[in-house]
Amino acid sequence: MRRLLIAAAAIAAAPLAPAAAQDVAITNAKLVIGTGDGPVEGGTVVIRGGRVIAAGQGVAVPAGMDTVDAGGKWVTPGIFAGFTRLGIVEISGVGQTNDTAAGDSPFHAAIDVTPAVNPRTSSLALNRAEGLTRAVVAPDTGSAMFAGQGAIIDLGADMDAVTVPRAFQFMEYGEAGSREAGGSRPAAYAFLRTALMEAQDYARSPRSFADRGPDAFLTRLDAAALAPVVQGKVPLMVHVERGSDILVILGLREEFPRLKLVLVGATEGWTVASQIAAAGVPVIAKPLADLPDSFESLAATQSNIGRMLAAGVTVAIGTIGSDESHQARWVKQYAGNLVGLARIPGASGLEWGQAFAAITSGPAEALGMAGQFGSLRPGRHGDVVIWDGDPLEIGTNAVAVYIDGVAQPLETRQQLLRDRYLSPPDDQLPNAYRR
Amino acid sequence: MTIAIGAAATLMACTPDSGGTQSAGSSAATPGKGGESYSRDPYPSTYHRYPGVPTLVTNVTILDGEGGRIENGSILFRDGEIAEVGTDIAAGPGVTVIDGTGKYVTPGIIDVHSHLGDYPSPGIGALSDGNEATSPTTPEVWAEHSVWPQDPGFSRALANGGVTTLQILPGSANLMGGRSVTIKNVYARTVQGMKFPDAPYGLKMACGENPKRVYGSRGRMPSTRMGNIAVDRETWARAQEYDRKWDKYEEEGGDSPPSRDIAMDTLRGVLDGEILVHNHCYRADEMAIVMDMAKEFGYHVSAFHHAVEAYKIADLLEANDTCAAVWADWWGFKMEAYDETDANLAILEHQGACGLIHSDDANGIQRLNQEVAKARAAGLRAGIAISEEQAWTWAAINPARVLGIADKTGSLRPGKMADIVLWNGNPFSVYTRPQMVWIDGALMYDMNDPSRRPVSDFELGQPGGGSFN
């Protein structure tokens, strides 16, 4: 324990420049690739230039490469949190530190989380220490249905967090979208269609699209942000829960055929699973939602994800409706619960490999980035975690975390507080002197 | 004015025969001549245990809820009560035997902090009945008058969570939010039908950010932490005066009783030790102030809830015989939840203070076993060795003590209510779920029997039909 802490402190003291690409091989691993497989013994992962070049059994380690013997421990791709607000919030209730939404801004689709991402946000360190290496970071809606442009970030301890800026546009439909659009679903739908039509106009001729000022339906920047969405260059991620609303969103492609849709939430997804599958639209689902907590989620069931998978839908897991800003680490527990669900007669749970893929390769696949992240297949970013047990099980620790092949510090504020108060006050000096 | 009218109506209805027959001494009381002169229990429990069959569960690992563990154990219960817990228990004639090889038995989980029923699903304004956020102190409101017995959340807490008893609290907008109610997790048509027989009432209090934000934003007191304590102290001072008047009347009699004040009745109950204080409070320094305030006015804090910083004052909590009810790992949603460590419960245990788990959440209540597992794991990570059986006290006997019902439930002791969970594996594993749940010896959930799973009225005929697993 102490040795680990010293090592972590040494890494933390290094200059916080963008991490250089690293070469490392991890051998003797109980290895999981992350695309649906279970663990295999005696695996090796080789990372060169920050990317995975080989992983599996019988993989040779290139001569001269730094090698870490995992000692038979579990080795997996880092966890890819499918939907979060990591790095853009320090404390949710302290407005100055919360950059998720901007209710008073004239901009909406144009908003881009990139300049808000702070790699020093304490939740990044906490979630990194729990084996999370990448995350989907979405803004939240403020004054319109469009929240803005989200990013893919890494959780590394350097000042270069954003891996893919403007990776998608996020919007609210259903009850929340209706509220933002003025009060009803038809109003939301009219807003959505108009915005996308204007974006088409912009895409056809950006120069003739005049900025109409802060009271305009779309500012110039909003239109510019939506243009690649209607062109199918940037995915449109839609939070939607009700079965009928999902069908409405899928139907948008009759008018805007190039839209690359990603559904988020989809608590009633199972009720229209065959249509989602037929549309080839992926889902980042809210796991374990089993309460009719609104009238748009009356059909909530923990079997939702299992049933959608069985119907052929691509499903990943995100922290939707949980604490997206701090607790992305919970996706491991969620995935584990879906495995446990498989033991309940009549329920649709997940196989272990499916569940683990839902928090690694699944989110990458949903965003069309499976070639970049989320698994240990060759060519992917070198995000690897060594665990002291089954990573979905409670109590398992991440003992080493690599991001782009760079070993990461695992110290957290929470751990320092713990150590300060582990023993009662000793009356020699105040606790403020313990560190 | 409305309070006065309400008080008069209650007083008129309050004869020894019309209400508090469950309260000790009330049936013999004569107003004004000693004893209780108004009902302490005007909405009495009508809960009754449902029929069960004499049952023996064998070959299980038993965590008894008080820190004990039996490998390859057996438990026998009949007539609603636990009869025997041990290793070699004879089934006897007419006893249903369940072979639990590879499985665990624990007492039912007790959640001391729930808003099921008063903030039910669906979470719409029409059903939002948890905060009477119209005055900084509302000890006159009773959560049981808000609880919607059809909340679908009760079934999830039962089937996924193994929760057999829970306390429903008013929310934390107010310094004094009102009375809590403790219920058995058994659906009924009325809240009285769910009330845990003879459980003491609680008073929900809150310190810190919520009350000062809610009222400060309206330009009224309290708008600061010092304002919080000032309003509390003024209210307790009035309560002491009220208590003295009624004590005198009930001891010595007089021409006419003092005026009834429904709010002060609750605070009088606290000062008399009949109503237990559950204080929402995050920060260590604020908990210390509240414990001093309790000494100043002569009451006791049964537990601090959401006590994110309890680990900083384990010694103070222990010295004041006050427990800390906490989450395993929630943090960061507001400033007073910033100094979090997942080792909170483990540090409390390590330093001899009373800690327990709680949910405050319709989803979290479904996985309190996993929250206990997380809290224990954080302890192990910190080098604090806490056994599974010791950790289970955080979900069983400690919450029962905090609610004042530890003599009836919260551990697997002969004579106690047969509130029991058979888990389909180790309940510290993420892969484990309740297999069967008994409440007062009646089988209320069986994962293999769809007919042993309740569906609330609200869910009948809806998409999904209440089939949540």
mmCIF file of all heavy atoms in Angstrom, chain A residues 130-150:
data_model
loop_
_atom_site.group_PDB
_atom_site.id
_atom_site.type_symbol
_atom_site.label_atom_id
_atom_site.label_comp_id
_atom_site.label_asym_id
_atom_site.label_seq_id
_atom_site.Cartn_x
_atom_site.Cartn_y
_atom_site.Cartn_z
ATOM 1 N N GLU A 130 -10.749 4.182 -10.038
ATOM 2 C CA GLU A 130 -11.643 3.020 -10.084
ATOM 3 C C GLU A 130 -11.628 2.342 -11.450
ATOM 4 O O GLU A 130 -12.518 1.555 -11.768
ATOM 5 C CB GLU A 130 -13.059 3.457 -9.702
ATOM 6 C CG GLU A 130 -13.123 3.951 -8.261
ATOM 7 C CD GLU A 130 -14.239 3.308 -7.477
ATOM 8 O OE1 GLU A 130 -14.844 2.341 -7.960
ATOM 9 O OE2 GLU A 130 -14.502 3.797 -6.360
ATOM 10 N N GLY A 131 -10.655 2.679 -12.279
ATOM 11 C CA GLY A 131 -10.486 1.945 -13.524
ATOM 12 C C GLY A 131 -11.193 2.538 -14.730
ATOM 13 O O GLY A 131 -11.306 1.888 -15.758
ATOM 14 N N LEU A 132 -11.669 3.774 -14.618
ATOM 15 C CA LEU A 132 -12.292 4.420 -15.768
ATOM 16 C C LEU A 132 -11.220 5.185 -16.534
ATOM 17 O O LEU A 132 -10.430 5.925 -15.940
ATOM 18 C CB LEU A 132 -13.415 5.367 -15.329
ATOM 19 C CG LEU A 132 -14.742 4.649 -15.049
ATOM 20 C CD1 LEU A 132 -14.721 3.963 -13.706
ATOM 21 C CD2 LEU A 132 -15.921 5.597 -15.149
ATOM 22 N N THR A 133 -11.213 5.014 -17.829
ATOM 23 C CA THR A 133 -10.167 5.651 -18.632
ATOM 24 C C THR A 133 -10.718 6.608 -19.691
ATOM 25 O O THR A 133 -10.040 7.534 -20.083
ATOM 26 C CB THR A 133 -9.297 4.589 -19.329
ATOM 27 O OG1 THR A 133 -10.137 3.726 -20.084
ATOM 28 C CG2 THR A 133 -8.510 3.781 -18.303
ATOM 29 N N ARG A 134 -11.918 6.372 -20.162
ATOM 30 C CA ARG A 134 -12.545 7.261 -21.154
ATOM 31 C C ARG A 134 -13.981 7.519 -20.744
ATOM 32 O O ARG A 134 -14.583 6.705 -20.036
ATOM 33 C CB ARG A 134 -12.577 6.645 -22.551
ATOM 34 C CG ARG A 134 -11.274 6.249 -23.142
ATOM 35 C CD ARG A 134 -10.585 7.351 -23.920
ATOM 36 N NE ARG A 134 -9.168 6.995 -24.007
ATOM 37 C CZ ARG A 134 -8.232 7.738 -24.594
ATOM 38 N NH1 ARG A 134 -8.536 8.887 -25.166
ATOM 39 N NH2 ARG A 134 -6.975 7.343 -24.601
ATOM 40 N N ALA A 135 -14.507 8.618 -21.261
ATOM 41 C CA ALA A 135 -15.903 8.922 -20.957
ATOM 42 C C ALA A 135 -16.528 9.755 -22.060
ATOM 43 O O ALA A 135 -15.858 10.580 -22.684
ATOM 44 C CB ALA A 135 -16.006 9.656 -19.630
ATOM 45 N N VAL A 136 -17.791 9.514 -22.256
ATOM 46 C CA VAL A 136 -18.629 10.381 -23.079
ATOM 47 C C VAL A 136 -19.083 11.522 -22.163
ATOM 48 O O VAL A 136 -19.658 11.272 -21.109
ATOM 49 C CB VAL A 136 -19.860 9.611 -23.593
ATOM 50 C CG1 VAL A 136 -20.845 10.550 -24.282
ATOM 51 C CG2 VAL A 136 -19.436 8.470 -24.511
ATOM 52 N N VAL A 137 -18.792 12.746 -22.541
ATOM 53 C CA VAL A 137 -19.188 13.902 -21.719
ATOM 54 C C VAL A 137 -20.185 14.747 -22.502
ATOM 55 O O VAL A 137 -19.864 15.264 -23.577
ATOM 56 C CB VAL A 137 -17.970 14.768 -21.343
ATOM 57 C CG1 VAL A 137 -18.412 15.961 -20.505
ATOM 58 C CG2 VAL A 137 -16.945 13.941 -20.591
ATOM 59 N N ALA A 138 -21.370 14.852 -21.958
ATOM 60 C CA ALA A 138 -22.436 15.595 -22.647
ATOM 61 C C ALA A 138 -22.804 16.839 -21.860
ATOM 62 O O ALA A 138 -22.818 16.806 -20.624
ATOM 63 C CB ALA A 138 -23.670 14.706 -22.799
ATOM 64 N N PRO A 139 -23.118 17.921 -22.549
ATOM 65 C CA PRO A 139 -23.723 19.058 -21.852
ATOM 66 C C PRO A 139 -25.177 18.746 -21.518
ATOM 67 O O PRO A 139 -25.721 17.744 -21.989
ATOM 68 C CB PRO A 139 -23.625 20.188 -22.879
ATOM 69 C CG PRO A 139 -23.619 19.498 -24.211
ATOM 70 C CD PRO A 139 -23.007 18.136 -23.993
ATOM 71 N N ASP A 140 -25.788 19.577 -20.706
ATOM 72 C CA ASP A 140 -27.207 19.426 -20.371
ATOM 73 C C ASP A 140 -27.977 20.590 -20.995
ATOM 74 O O ASP A 140 -27.405 21.643 -21.264
ATOM 75 C CB ASP A 140 -27.377 19.427 -18.848
ATOM 76 C CG ASP A 140 -28.687 18.798 -18.426
ATOM 77 O OD1 ASP A 140 -29.503 18.440 -19.301
ATOM 78 O OD2 ASP A 140 -28.901 18.670 -17.215
ATOM 79 N N THR A 141 -29.255 20.376 -21.204
ATOM 80 C CA THR A 141 -30.037 21.439 -21.831
ATOM 81 C C THR A 141 -30.265 22.593 -20.863
ATOM 82 O O THR A 141 -30.377 22.401 -19.650
ATOM 83 C CB THR A 141 -31.405 20.917 -22.304
ATOM 84 O OG1 THR A 141 -32.045 20.275 -21.205
ATOM 85 C CG2 THR A 141 -31.253 19.933 -23.439
ATOM 86 N N GLY A 142 -30.330 23.788 -21.436
ATOM 87 C CA GLY A 142 -30.623 24.965 -20.631
ATOM 88 C C GLY A 142 -31.915 25.604 -21.095
ATOM 89 O O GLY A 142 -32.942 25.494 -20.427
ATOM 90 N N SER A 143 -31.888 26.204 -22.272
ATOM 91 C CA SER A 143 -33.050 26.969 -22.712
ATOM 92 C C SER A 143 -33.684 26.403 -23.971
ATOM 93 O O SER A 143 -34.621 26.975 -24.494
ATOM 94 C CB SER A 143 -32.620 28.421 -22.988
ATOM 95 O OG SER A 143 -31.579 28.434 -23.949
ATOM 96 N N ALA A 144 -33.176 25.304 -24.469
ATOM 97 C CA ALA A 144 -33.748 24.721 -25.692
ATOM 98 C C ALA A 144 -33.520 23.221 -25.667
ATOM 99 O O ALA A 144 -32.812 22.698 -24.810
ATOM 100 C CB ALA A 144 -33.103 25.333 -26.925
ATOM 101 N N MET A 145 -34.118 22.522 -26.637
ATOM 102 C CA MET A 145 -33.983 21.061 -26.661
ATOM 103 C C MET A 145 -32.561 20.609 -26.930
ATOM 104 O O MET A 145 -32.156 19.540 -26.510
ATOM 105 C CB MET A 145 -34.879 20.486 -27.749
ATOM 106 C CG MET A 145 -36.349 20.654 -27.468
ATOM 107 S SD MET A 145 -37.279 20.321 -28.962
ATOM 108 C CE MET A 145 -36.964 18.578 -29.150
ATOM 109 N N PHE A 146 -31.824 21.432 -27.676
ATOM 110 C CA PHE A 146 -30.440 21.066 -27.957
ATOM 111 C C PHE A 146 -29.539 21.498 -26.798
ATOM 112 O O PHE A 146 -29.575 22.665 -26.386
ATOM 113 C CB PHE A 146 -29.956 21.727 -29.255
ATOM 114 C CG PHE A 146 -30.600 21.155 -30.472
ATOM 115 C CD1 PHE A 146 -31.560 21.878 -31.167
ATOM 116 C CD2 PHE A 146 -30.268 19.889 -30.927
ATOM 117 C CE1 PHE A 146 -32.176 21.352 -32.288
ATOM 118 C CE2 PHE A 146 -30.878 19.350 -32.051
ATOM 119 C CZ PHE A 146 -31.840 20.080 -32.734
ATOM 120 N N ALA A 147 -28.758 20.555 -26.308
ATOM 121 C CA ALA A 147 -27.851 20.882 -25.208
ATOM 122 C C ALA A 147 -26.517 21.374 -25.727
ATOM 123 O O ALA A 147 -25.849 22.175 -25.077
ATOM 124 C CB ALA A 147 -27.614 19.645 -24.339
ATOM 125 N N GLY A 148 -26.123 20.884 -26.897
ATOM 126 C CA GLY A 148 -24.838 21.279 -27.449
ATOM 127 C C GLY A 148 -23.984 20.080 -27.796
ATOM 128 O O GLY A 148 -24.470 18.946 -27.852
ATOM 129 N N GLN A 149 -22.703 20.364 -27.990
ATOM 130 C CA GLN A 149 -21.782 19.361 -28.507
ATOM 131 C C GLN A 149 -20.968 18.736 -27.391
ATOM 132 O O GLN A 149 -20.321 19.433 -26.604
ATOM 133 C CB GLN A 149 -20.858 20.021 -29.541
ATOM 134 C CG GLN A 149 -21.644 20.683 -30.665
ATOM 135 C CD GLN A 149 -20.800 21.671 -31.454
ATOM 136 O OE1 GLN A 149 -20.181 21.309 -32.453
ATOM 137 N NE2 GLN A 149 -20.765 22.912 -30.994
ATOM 138 N N GLY A 150 -21.012 17.425 -27.325
ATOM 139 C CA GLY A 150 -20.278 16.700 -26.299
ATOM 140 C C GLY A 150 -18.949 16.203 -26.819
ATOM 141 O O GLY A 150 -18.649 16.290 -28.013
#
